[in-house]
Amino acid sequence: MSVDRSTGDQQPWPVEQAPGRVDAIRPEDDPFYAAPSGYEAVPPGTILRVRPVEIAMFGRLRQQVDAWQLLYRTTDLGGFAQAGVTTVLRPHNAEPVLLSYQCAIDGVASSCFPSYALRRGARAFGAVPQFEFLLVLHALRRGWTISIPDHEGPDGHWGSPQEPGFCTLDGIRAALSFEPLALHAHTPVALWGYSGGGLATSWAAEMAQDYAPELELVGAALGSPVGDPGSAFTRLNATLHAALPTLVVAGLRRTYPELDRIVRQYVNEDGMRILDSVESMTTVRAVARLARHDLDDYIDVPLADLLALPEIVEIFRDIQPGRTAPSMPLLVIQSVHDQIIAIDDVDGQVDRYVEAGAHVTYLRDRLSEHLSLHPLSAPTTLDWLADRFDGIPVPEPSIRTVWSTAFSLAAVRGVASLTWTTIRALTIGVRV
């Protein structure tokens, strides 16, 4: 899908300056998120509405950072216009670069959206973006301006293919045209995400060349980027992380009407109650509530038979990333002993990228697991992104299995610095 950006840097819509709010209210109740009449006619990435916001750890511990939210025009999976929101952060010592960070939203409730979960006053206990924000603050300390999009779109389309890419890329377009950030159309841009955010980053990297070819994307870092959502769905069922397949069903029902029809046909009354309940749960709360739940107990046919239906097979094929080679260099990091995302699935995604002609640096980490890999690999990831921003030549493509991405002097210093950022964020607040 290509998009006409012939308007260049021109803002074809009068930007509405919405007042900031001290209290955070859910997106479905917040008029800021409502698209204005006629917005469909403007190009993707056009800013529709702006407001300043206060950012806080876990909704309580205010951080000293300049922040705004941008409502902008973007595109859904069907090619139709929709309004998206990104939260943009600018440090006081900002360099002329932009990092788009895709959180692991991993849920369909609006309380999981970073635009709500990161705000002062948010009540979003168990929303993953609240934990990931520690890494965002650490990246801000490098002087990078950051865009954090609600990449699932306004309706929580978790697991949807391509659409997270559209939301992310249009959020970048909006950020580049937002005057207080002092950026421009040729600003170097990088992408970063982990787990569900790594999957969203994969889609943004894959869609960029056709959907947003004008962006100066210098690199994309994919941490534990799922690889094969269909494989993860079947493997995690009835495990400690059984909520994740249930949440995927909740998200994909909103994307694929045929899946919603199948769910209503085969899922029993107890199963429908569970699906309805996760609509309002944060990710951590859902994982705690649904540990070891077996989807086989809630359907009228064996799960294997249901997954073999042609419609389901097609959906699982549709949501698998890796069939398009991103045009920018990629860093992929994955734990060998990941308890949530199988190493084989990420190996497969990397293999598909390499076969399609992508430039990939792939690090397989032996000593970490899913939750520890993200902070431990953050210094290595940030150094790699810094090299891309600085225009340092990319090393030759490689696939390496290492004991730990944290086993270097630079990584140890980075982990120590990240620890200091965390202590400050959770006590006096970080000022950037």
Side-chain angles (χ1 to χ4, degrees), residues 233-243 245 290-296:
F233 180 95
T234 55
R235 186 169 36 77
L236 293 176
N237 182 47
T239 70
L240 286 173
H241 302 95
L290 299 180
R292 299 202 181 281
H293 274 238
D294 189 342
L295 293 175
D296 251 323

Side-chain angles (χ1 to χ4, degrees), residues 6 97 302:
S6 58
V97 300

Side-chain angles (χ1 to χ4, degrees), residues 299-383:
I299 55 179
D300 298 333
V301 298
L303 180 60
D305 292 348
L306 191 67
L307 296 179
L309 292 174
E311 299 94 333
I312 303 297
V313 172
E314 178 62 23
I315 289 172
F316 278 178
R317 190 201 68 80
D318 204 29
I319 65 176
Q320 183 189 71
R323 289 186 297 274
T324 300
S327 57
M328 75 291 296
L330 304 176
L331 172 67
V332 182
I333 299 180
Q334 172 64 25
S335 168
V336 172
H337 303 294
D338 195 309
Q339 74 276 30
I340 297 177
I341 305 301
I343 184 71
D344 290 344
D345 291 345
V346 177
D347 286 351
Q349 181 177 348
V350 169
D351 287 344
R352 292 191 295 276
Y353 280 149
V354 171
E355 290 172 5
H359 187 293
V360 183
T361 300
Y362 182 26
L363 297 178
R364 305 164 87 251
D365 186 297
R366 285 193 181 99
L367 294 185
S368 63
E369 44 72 61
H370 189 75
L371 299 181
S372 62
L373 177 63
H374 195 17
L376 289 176
S377 65
T380 296
T381 301
L382 290 170
D383 286 346

Side-chain angles (χ1 to χ4, degrees), residues 128-207:
V128 178
Q130 292 191 331
F131 299 95
E132 289 188 279
F133 190 61
L134 291 167
L135 299 177
V136 173
L137 285 172
H138 193 56
L140 277 168
R141 288 182 58 196
R142 292 197 174 220
W144 301 346
T145 299
I146 298 181
S147 170
I148 310 173
D150 291 357
H151 57 74
E152 290 183 359
D155 298 318
H157 289 174
W158 187 37
S160 172
Q162 300 184 14
E163 188 173 324
F166 301 153
C167 291
T168 297
L169 296 167
D170 287 326
I172 292 170
R173 285 168 163 162
L176 293 179
S177 66
F178 183 51
E179 289 186 5
L181 299 183
L183 303 174
H184 54 80
H186 299 293
T187 293
V189 179
L191 308 169
W192 183 23
Y194 188 83
S195 193
L199 178 60
T201 304
S202 299
W203 288 118
E206 290 186 29
M207 306 310 299

Side-chain angles (χ1 to χ4, degrees), residues 26-359:
R26 297 286 181 88
E28 61 266 29
D29 300 320
D30 190 339
F32 176 82
Y33 290 78
S37 177
Y39 82 102
E40 300 91 344
V42 299
T46 299
I47 300 174
L48 308 173
R49 190 175 293 135
V50 171
R51 68 178 173 189
V53 292
E54 292 186 345
I55 300 298
M57 287 297 308
F58 304 108
R60 297 291 179 267
L61 303 167
R62 185 169 179 263
Q63 307 301 306
Q64 301 295 317
V65 56
D66 293 333
W68 299 264
Q69 287 181 342
L70 315 179
L71 182 78
Y72 58 92
R73 194 269 203 207
T74 186
T75 307
D76 69 10
L77 181 60
F80 298 101
Q82 63 179 357
V85 173
T86 188
T87 303
V88 293
L89 313 172
R90 185 177 189 273
H92 294 296
N93 61 334
E95 297 181 7
V97 300
L98 178 67
L99 173 66
S100 183
Y101 184 84
Q102 288 61 250
C103 291
I105 298 174
D106 293 3
V108 296
S110 65
S111 56
C112 295
F113 297 175
S115 65
Y116 173 78
L118 300 183
R119 289 190 58 200
R120 186 179 182 188
R123 298 178 180 273
F125 174 76
V128 178
Q130 292 191 331
F131 299 95
E132 289 188 279
F133 190 61
L134 291 167
L135 299 177
V136 173
L137 285 172
H138 193 56
L140 277 168
R141 288 182 58 196
R142 292 197 174 220
W144 301 346
T145 299
I146 298 181
S147 170
I148 310 173
D150 291 357
H151 57 74
E152 290 183 359
D155 298 318
H157 289 174
W158 187 37
S160 172
Q162 300 184 14
E163 188 173 324
F166 301 153
C167 291
T168 297
L169 296 167
D170 287 326
I172 292 170
R173 285 168 163 162
L176 293 179
S177 66
F178 183 51
E179 289 186 5
L181 299 183
L183 303 174
H184 54 80
H186 299 293
T187 293
V189 179
L191 308 169
W192 183 23
Y194 188 83
S195 193
L199 178 60
T201 304
S202 299
W203 288 118
E206 290 186 29
M207 306 310 299
Q209 189 167 12
D210 286 339
Y211 186 75
E214 81 283 1
L215 297 179
E216 299 287 344
L217 290 167
V218 297
L222 318 178
S224 192
V226 182
D228 187 341
S231 171
F233 180 95
T234 55
R235 186 169 36 77
L236 293 176
N237 182 47
T239 70
L240 286 173
H241 302 95
L244 298 176
T246 305
L247 287 165
V248 167
V249 172
L252 291 178
R253 284 176 67 197
R254 300 179 177 191
T255 305
Y256 295 96
E258 61 270 32
L259 177 60
D260 184 59
R261 177 187 59 78
I262 291 171
V263 165
R264 294 182 183 279
Q265 179 178 350
Y266 291 104
V267 175
N268 62 32
E269 188 174 334
D270 289 340
M272 292 303 297
R273 275 198 296 268
I274 289 175
L275 281 174
D276 289 341
S277 71
V278 300
E279 298 271 342
S280 59
M281 289 186 192
T282 60
T283 309
V284 173
R285 191 181 297 276
V287 169
R289 185 78 59 87
L290 299 180
R292 299 202 181 281
H293 274 238
D294 189 342
L295 293 175
D296 251 323
D297 295 336
Y298 304 105
I299 55 179
D300 298 333
V301 298
L303 180 60
D305 292 348
L306 191 67
L307 296 179
L309 292 174
E311 299 94 333
I312 303 297
V313 172
E314 178 62 23
I315 289 172
F316 278 178
R317 190 201 68 80
D318 204 29
I319 65 176
Q320 183 189 71
R323 289 186 297 274
T324 300
S327 57
M328 75 291 296
L330 304 176
L331 172 67
V332 182
I333 299 180
Q334 172 64 25
S335 168
V336 172
H337 303 294
D338 195 309
Q339 74 276 30
I340 297 177
I341 305 301
I343 184 71
D344 290 344
D345 291 345
V346 177
D347 286 351
Q349 181 177 348
V350 169
D351 287 344
R352 292 191 295 276
Y353 280 149
V354 171
E355 290 172 5
H359 187 293

Side-chain angles (χ1 to χ4, degrees), residues 57-58 61 63 130 134 137 420-430:
M57 287 297 308
F58 304 108
L61 303 167
Q63 307 301 306
Q130 292 191 331
L134 291 167
L137 285 172
W420 176 238
T421 299
T422 301
I423 292 171
R424 292 191 60 187
L426 297 178
T427 53
I428 62 175
V430 172

